[in-house]
């Protein structure tokens, strides 16, 4: 299970309660300095566990579009790349070009 948030936003009590309900669960807490960095780390984790053939790219300021694609990306186990309004992060460009992505959706 991946919990998204910095250490101070997710208390140990919440983690302990989840582990009581699901005793053998592995929990990763991901939270970087920006939403773009967090998105990048999550995309890497999705890639580590799944065959990535497509990515969905959404602007951080267009929440409706991002939320509307979540069920599709989740069902296909494909990442959603969160971008700034006017550019794609260089690190994400390099990462996605190295993965032989077949389809990119904006």
């Amino acid at each position: 299970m991946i919990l998204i948030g910095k250490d101070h936003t997710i208390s140990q009590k919440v983690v302990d309660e989840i582990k009581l309900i699901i005793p053998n669960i592995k929990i990763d807490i991901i939270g970087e300095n920006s939403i773009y960095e967090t998105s990048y780390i999550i995309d890497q984790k999705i890639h580590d566990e799944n065959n990535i053939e497509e990515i969905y790219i959404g602007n951080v300021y267009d929440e409706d579009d991002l939320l509307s694609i979540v069920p599709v990306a989740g069902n296909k186990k494909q990442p959603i790349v969160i971008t700034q309004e006017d550019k794609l992060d260089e690190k994400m460009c390099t990462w996605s070009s190295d993965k032989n992505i077949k389809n990119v959706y904006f």
Side-chain angles (χ1 to χ4, degrees), residues 36-37 39-41 43-44 55 57 79-83 88-98:
Y36 315 109
E37 292 174 14
S39 172
Y40 177 72
I41 300 296
D43 296 341
Q44 288 179 316
I55 58 175
I57 298 177
I80 299 171
V81 177
I82 299 175
T83 66
L88 186 60
D89 183 77
E90 184 65 35
K91 187 168 39 174
M92 184 53 75
C93 289
T94 303
W95 177 84
S96 60
S97 67
D98 291 344

Side-chain angles (χ1 to χ4, degrees), residues 9-55:
T9 60
I10 300 172
S11 71
Q12 187 61 43
K13 181 179 178 188
V14 170
V15 173
D16 292 342
E17 287 178 12
I18 292 170
K19 287 182 176 182
L20 281 174
I21 297 168
I22 311 168
N24 295 323
I25 193 165
K26 179 182 180 270
I27 297 177
D28 291 325
I29 299 175
I30 298 173
E32 297 297 323
N33 292 326
S34 75
I35 192 169
Y36 315 109
E37 292 174 14
T38 302
S39 172
Y40 177 72
I41 300 296
I42 293 168
D43 296 341
Q44 288 179 316
K45 285 198 168 287
I46 291 171
H47 176 266
D48 290 346
E49 297 178 10
N50 300 284
N51 181 28
I52 301 300
E53 295 182 352
E54 55 193 40
I55 58 175

